[in-house]
Amino acid sequence: MNKGILGFIGLGNMGRPMATRLLNAGWDVIVYDLDEAAVQALVQGGAQPAQSVVDVANKASTVLLSLPNPAIVQTVAQELATGKLSKRVVDFSTIGPGAAVKVAEILGKNDCTYIDCPVSGGVPGATAGTLALMVSCPTALHEQLLPLLQILGKPIHVGEKPGQAQTAKLANNLLSAAAIAISSEAMAMAVKGGLDPRVMLEVINAGSGRNSATQDKFPRSILPGTFDYGFGTGLAYKDVRLCIDEAEQLGVPMVVGAAVREMLAITNSVYGADSDYTSICRVVESWAGVEIRG
Ligand code: NAD
């Protein structure tokens, strides 16, 4: 891929480390975020600041997005579609398949191709370049983008059409949130029953109950009581809502999924959208009358 200038819009928990990796790999990156401090942090690392979304679209032929939700991505896409240079938009945001199709149409009117590319692996994966990148776009374009995407992690081409990668991502995130919820219940029972939480995690992670919550979220953010994994409750709630909506449209029952959505709704109302989604465990702890710390 031609090493032209890259645009990066959305420099939050995920966008910041991803843009930093691209800068460190020698790419020229022009960055934009509504939060001026987020822009300045990247400028310190060698990025050029942009004044607006349109400024990015006038200076970069490939624009990368890491934005919170479908409505914001659609608004930004409308602005990008007026840009002079932008020809490809790689979207790392989780917005659901319906919104991905709409965004592809908006950009397509200006001869700009949408690459649906949600990611998994959280802030640790974004920092280490070990994200799973689910990509749906024409095969030739995927191959062209590989040198760029491989700086961020492992690209997996899931299909040719926008929205297919979003479907993959929603399925993954349902499992990620479900793992925290059910592991919290199991751990609360074990700890209240007198077991050491560290020993319990050792047992689960050597046994058939192991999952991404017991292997990563509990040791990193729950046992220390920091609840700072780096993924907002509001964003996780959005993802699981999008997942259940999609399943409903497809006629797929999600009985357990609906329970996970309710756990996130409660966490969102008790601890707020800006809390970390590992706070699901705090809800279980308060109901069980036990803290899982070690
Ligand atoms: P975040 O809230 O930390 O960051 C979003 C950034 O977008 C913020 O800096 C915000 O100021 C900026 N922004 C909002 N509206 C904007 C606009 N109109 N123009 C420019 N900038 C704007 O969110 P995040 O955790 O980095 O997640 C970003 C996306 O990645 C979401 O879709 C999320 O679901 C997905 N995701 C997050 C994680 C995670 O672990 N945090 C993992 C995988 C995927």
Side-chain angles (χ1 to χ4, degrees):
M1 189 184 164
N2 169 11
K3 262 201 164 187
I5 188 163
L6 288 176
F8 207 117
I9 301 174
L11 309 167
N13 283 330
M14 295 296 283
R16 188 181 323 121
M18 291 167 91
T20 301
R21 284 195 68 80
L22 295 167
L23 283 167
N24 292 345
W27 289 80
D28 281 333
V29 188
I30 179 163
V31 295
Y32 179 69
D33 194 293
L34 291 179
D35 177 359
E36 181 55 29
V39 172
Q40 283 315 316
L42 265 293
V43 168
Q44 300 291 319
Q48 293 179 48
Q51 302 313 313
S52 64
V53 169
V54 177
D55 191 22
V56 174
N58 285 339
K59 291 178 179 156
S61 56
T62 301
V63 179
L64 316 177
L65 307 180
S66 179
L67 293 164
N69 61 46
I72 292 174
V73 173
Q74 282 178 55
T75 306
V76 167
Q78 303 274 11
E79 293 173 47
L80 283 172
T82 66
K84 292 192 191 112
L85 202 59
S86 51
K87 284 288 154 245
R88 281 176 298 267
V89 171
V90 184
D91 185 11
F92 302 125
S93 325
T94 308
I95 60 172
V101 170
K102 277 190 212 148
V103 173
E105 282 168 9
I106 294 168
L107 294 168
K109 286 183 188 143
N110 196 36
D111 204 17
C112 179
T113 307
Y114 178 72
I115 295 102
D116 179 15
C117 187
V119 302
S120 177
V123 176
T127 307
T130 57
L131 291 171
L133 298 109
M134 293 147 262
V135 195
S136 57
C137 68
T139 305
L141 188 50
H142 174 252
E143 276 164 22
Q144 227 179 311
L145 288 167
L146 278 177
L148 168 69
L149 299 179
Q150 282 167 343
I151 295 166
L152 305 172
K154 183 181 179 195
I156 304 168
H157 191 223
V158 302
E160 298 256 332
K161 293 185 202 144
Q164 289 177 303
Q166 290 294 327
T167 303
K169 168 68 178 165
L170 296 184
N172 177 80
N173 274 32
L174 173 68
L175 292 171
S176 166
I180 298 178
I182 197 69
S183 303
S184 297
E185 292 182 357
M187 287 293 289
M189 182 197 71
V191 172
K192 202 166 182 184
L195 290 162
D196 181 315
R198 288 205 175 273
V199 173
M200 193 60 219
L201 281 183
E202 199 181 332
V203 168
I204 294 172
N205 289 335
S208 55
R210 69 182 172 279
N211 62 66
S212 61
T214 60
Q215 289 179 313
D216 193 14
K217 277 105 190 179
F218 272 83
R220 199 188 282 269
S221 300
I222 297 177
L223 260 54
T226 48
F227 298 98
D228 60 352
Y229 188 74
F231 188 35
T233 297
L235 294 180
Y237 182 30
K238 165 210 62 169
D239 290 357
V240 174
R241 279 203 318 268
L242 287 170
C243 180
I244 305 287
D245 290 350
E246 186 62 16
E248 211 156 57
Q249 278 189 34
L250 292 169
V252 176
M254 284 204 170
V255 178
V256 179
V260 175
R261 179 188 57 195
E262 290 316 298
M263 286 302 294
L264 277 162
I266 294 162
T267 309
N268 198 61
S269 84
V270 175
Y271 294 105
D274 290 338
S275 66
D276 194 81
Y277 84 142
T278 51
S279 299
I280 293 172
C281 185
R282 291 203 273 171
V283 171
V284 174
E285 289 177 341
S286 70
W287 291 342
V290 67
E291 281 196 342
I292 305 162
R293 300 286 177 275

